């Protein structure tokens, strides 16, 4: 299938990044719920993830989507992080030719507003993002519109080994599509998520997450509910590997599996 070639390219890229890594980190990936941390000033942060999605009947002839997401961020001043990410999308179709290409590119700026002091008060951050319509809309690789929104992050340290994180976001314009996956209706989309992570050892960390998004239309076709279980493993002091399994309802993919690497060179 078409995505097998993408997997080979991804494995090559991951290998290159792993060989070049020289710092340790436990990122929030594979969870979509963000944490309040920002990349240290003058440092880079990189993530490479492969996401395989099983689509619904309403998405036919598209029946599966493979997405390779490469993202990088750079820290400034100790409280600001600038990021960019771009997806490579391959869609497997039933009875029609498969198609592939780059999706919409996203630029973001994340501001850390408050550090955690323990207790009930969380660390707080806010992210502003804009997505450019770089993907081919006619092929279904891009939304064809500019998307822009804000995301508020709350991050609680419950114990030395466990954390609770909550996000509340709004997309002011555009839609949340990445290829076939996401809400298709243009307009305001409100999203919220909650994640809990627990360190199991010095190397292993596991967690769960629930996410909900809803557009302006009062219909199930403009809503999605997603639950994920995931884990991270510190391969060494330089690289963290991550994987997650997702179950979706409403318009979300019925299932997703993702695997990737988190690197701080």
């Amino acid at each position: 299938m078409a995505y097998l070639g993408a997997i080979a390219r991804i494995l090559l890229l991951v290998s290159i990044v792993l060989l070049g890594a020289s710092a340790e980190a436990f990122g929030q990936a594979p969870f979509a719920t963000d944490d309040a941390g920002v990349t240290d000033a003058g440092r880079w942060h990189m993530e490479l993830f492969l996401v395989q999605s099983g689509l619904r009947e309403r998405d036919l002839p598209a029946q599966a989507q493979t997405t390779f997401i490469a993202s990088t961020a750079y820290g400034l001043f100790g409280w600001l992080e600038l990021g960019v990410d771009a997806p490579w999308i391959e869609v497997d179709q039933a009875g029609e030719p498969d198609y592939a290409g780059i999706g919409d590119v996203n630029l973001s700026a994340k501001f850390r507003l408050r550090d955690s002091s323990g207790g009930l008060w969380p660390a707080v951050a806010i992210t502003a993002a804009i997505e450019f319509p770089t993907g081919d809309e006619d092929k279904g690789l891009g939304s064809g519109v500019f998307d822009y929104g804000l995301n508020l992050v709350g991050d609680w340290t419950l114990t030395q080994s466990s954390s609770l994180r909550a996000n509340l976001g709004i997309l002011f314009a555009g839609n949340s599509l990445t290829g076939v996956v996401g809400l298709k209706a243009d307009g305001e989309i409100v999203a919220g998520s909650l994640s809990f992570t627990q360190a199991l050892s010095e190397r292993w960390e596991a967690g769960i997450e629930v996410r909900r998004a809803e557009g302006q239309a009062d219909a199930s076709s403009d809503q999605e509910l997603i639950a994920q279980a995931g884990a991270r493993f510190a391969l060494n002091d330089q690289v963290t590997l991550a994987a997650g399994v997702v179950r979706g309802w409403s318009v979300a993919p019925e299932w997703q599996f993702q695997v990737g690497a988190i690197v701080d060179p």
Side-chain angles (χ1 to χ4, degrees):
M1 298 177 67
Y3 63 79
L4 292 179
I7 293 175
R9 292 192 295 272
I10 292 161
L11 291 176
L12 176 60
L13 285 170
V14 171
S15 298
I16 293 171
V17 172
L18 294 184
L19 290 173
S22 61
E24 61 179 319
F26 249 154
Q28 175 64 356
F31 304 110
T33 305
D34 201 3
D35 60 22
V38 295
T39 303
D40 292 339
R43 303 296 297 273
W44 291 92
H45 173 85
M46 294 183 292
E47 296 181 5
L48 296 170
F49 270 82
L50 175 69
V51 183
Q52 181 69 40
S53 304
L55 305 178
R56 298 183 177 274
E57 287 188 11
R58 70 182 69 190
D59 298 314
L60 288 172
Q63 58 185 5
Q65 176 173 304
T66 302
T67 309
F68 169 57
I69 304 172
S71 62
T72 187
Y74 185 75
L76 293 168
F77 314 120
W79 49 266
L80 172 63
E81 177 183 281
L82 302 179
V84 58
D85 64 76
W88 175 269
I89 301 168
E90 297 192 353
V91 177
D92 180 21
Q93 298 201 109
E96 296 189 16
D98 300 343
Y99 59 89
I102 191 170
D104 293 341
V105 173
N106 184 77
L107 300 180
S108 63
K110 182 179 179 182
F111 303 85
R112 185 173 62 196
L113 304 179
R114 183 183 187 278
D115 291 326
S116 176
S117 58
L120 296 177
W121 297 104
V124 178
I126 190 168
T127 299
I130 181 169
E131 191 171 75
F132 297 86
T134 52
D136 190 330
E137 182 184 9
D138 294 334
K139 288 185 177 181
L141 296 170
S143 65
V145 294
F146 284 90
D147 310 330
Y148 55 92
L150 295 173
N151 186 52
L152 182 65
V153 178
D155 191 340
W156 290 264
T157 300
L158 303 179
T159 69
Q160 289 185 340
S161 59
S162 61
S163 296
L164 179 70
R165 299 176 176 108
N167 288 187
L168 179 62
I170 181 168
L171 189 68
F172 296 106
N175 58 49
S176 64
L177 283 176
T178 300
V180 184
V181 176
L183 300 183
K184 298 179 175 63
D186 291 340
E188 291 184 0
I189 296 175
V190 177
S193 63
L194 190 69
S195 73
F196 171 80
T197 58
Q198 174 70 49
L200 306 178
S201 70
E202 290 185 358
R203 291 184 177 271
W204 281 101
E205 188 174 19
I208 55 175
E209 173 185 60
V210 177
R211 309 196 310 266
R212 168 81 173 177
E214 186 169 330
Q216 292 178 310
D218 186 17
S220 60
S221 61
D222 204 22
Q223 304 171 1
E224 62 180 8
L225 177 64
I226 295 171
Q228 178 176 198
R232 296 191 287 267
F233 175 71
L235 186 65
N236 50 45
D237 289 341
Q238 303 162 347
V239 180
T240 298
L241 304 181
V245 178
V246 175
R247 176 71 169 92
W249 293 269
S250 297
V251 301
E254 290 191 72
W255 60 266
Q256 285 182 318
F257 175 75
Q258 57 176 318
V259 61
I262 306 161
V263 183
D264 291 272

